[in-house]
């Protein structure tokens, strides 16, 4: 089924966000994505664009950023929403993921989780409220919506971090495997 990649109308200024070790600096990226006017505008667009969707995954930068997004979706847009993150108590996270998979929750906000090994075929929208320099991470995030499910016609990708502009459409990404040259000398600092 087709994906619909859309560059968001909400623009996040990444000009002051540096790249270190091949990835955006997390704290600087959080500052770019955390202003409440950015969160409100993105949440509004997500809600409008997903009115006919069944399962929406929202990827955020940090726990603090995700909490603001979750609160905005719940309090300002009256959405059924929950959040999961890596340091969360496992039983609580499992319960939330089960509720999402059983469609009791429409919006699931995630930070550095659910990018691999997560299978919820009903996901028909992935909203990326973060930027990444990694084509592999980008593909993992949008890939959560590529599972086939009965009645599912497409997967909507909402990109707020200019990832589509940076990496191309998801069906054209070339992920280059990291190559370890075993014969090369170890780097010295």
């Amino acid at each position: 089924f087709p994906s619909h990649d859309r560059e968001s109308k909400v623009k996040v200024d990444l000009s002051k966000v540096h790249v270190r070790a091949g990835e955006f600096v997390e704290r600087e990226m959080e500052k770019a994505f955390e202003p409440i006017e950015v969160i409100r505008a993105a949440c509004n667009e997500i809600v409008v664009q997903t009115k006919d969707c069944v399962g929406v995954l929202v990827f955020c930068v940090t726990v603090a950023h995700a909490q603001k997004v979750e609160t905005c979706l719940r309090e300002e847009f009256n959405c059924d929403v929950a959040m999961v993150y890596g340091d969360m108590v496992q039983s609580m996270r499992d319960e939330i993921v089960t509720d999402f998979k059983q469609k009791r929750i429409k919006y699931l906000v995630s930070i550095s989780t659910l990018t691999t090994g997560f299978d919820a075929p009903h996901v028909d929208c992935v909203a990326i409220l973060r930027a990444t320099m990694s084509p592999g991470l980008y593909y993992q995030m949008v890939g959560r919506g590529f599972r086939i499910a009965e009645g599912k016609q497409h997967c909507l990708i909402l990109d707020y971090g200019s990832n589509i502009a940076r990496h191309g459409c998801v069906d054209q990404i070339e992920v280059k495997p990291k190559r370890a040259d075993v014969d090369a000398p170890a780097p010295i600092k």
Side-chain angles (χ1 to χ4, degrees), residues 106-121:
K106 179 176 179 175
Y107 299 89
L108 185 58
V109 179
S110 174
I111 314 91
S112 301
T113 59
L114 309 182
T115 55
T116 58
F118 176 72
D119 188 28

Side-chain angles (χ1 to χ4, degrees), residues 24-43:
F24 289 109
V25 176
E26 187 177 90
R27 284 285 165 222
E28 293 175 6
M29 185 172 36
E30 179 184 33
K31 284 182 183 179
F33 281 90
E34 77 177 346
I36 194 62
E37 59 274 3
V38 170
I39 291 173
R40 274 193 191 114
C43 287

Side-chain angles (χ1 to χ4, degrees), residues 50-102:
T50 62
K51 65 180 173 28
D52 296 325
C53 290
V54 179
V56 180
L57 283 180
V58 182
F59 289 99
C60 293
V61 181
T62 63
V63 172
H65 176 233
Q67 287 170 329
K68 291 175 184 176
V69 170
E70 179 192 29
T71 298
C72 185
L73 285 169
R74 177 180 291 112
E75 294 178 4
E76 295 189 34
F77 296 98
N78 198 31
C79 296
D80 295 323
V81 60
M83 177 178 76
V84 293
Y85 54 95
D87 293 335
M88 180 178 235
V89 174
Q90 186 66 44
S91 61
M92 182 184 278
R93 186 165 74 184
D94 291 346
E95 183 178 331
I96 291 169
V97 168
T98 297
D99 285 347
F100 180 74
K101 287 181 176 183
Q102 305 229 340

Side-chain angles (χ1 to χ4, degrees), residues 6-8 10-14 17-18 20 22-34 38-39 42 46 57-63 65-66 69 109-113 115 126-142 157-167:
R6 291 198 184 137
E7 191 81 28
S8 170
V10 178
K11 295 298 175 199
V12 177
D13 181 12
L14 297 172
V17 181
H18 294 90
R20 185 178 305 133
E23 185 58 278
F24 289 109
V25 176
E26 187 177 90
R27 284 285 165 222
E28 293 175 6
M29 185 172 36
E30 179 184 33
K31 284 182 183 179
F33 281 90
E34 77 177 346
V38 170
I39 291 173
I46 290 168
L57 283 180
V58 182
F59 289 99
C60 293
V61 181
T62 63
V63 172
H65 176 233
V69 170
V109 179
S110 174
I111 314 91
S112 301
T113 59
T115 55
V126 176
I128 308 172
L129 273 167
R130 58 159 296 147
T132 182
M133 293 296 291
S134 167
L137 177 58
Y138 169 56
Y139 187 78
Q140 287 173 337
M141 287 187 287
V142 297
I157 308 299
L158 297 172
D159 178 22
Y160 297 90
S162 298
N163 297 295
I164 295 168
R166 189 174 306 106
H167 302 295

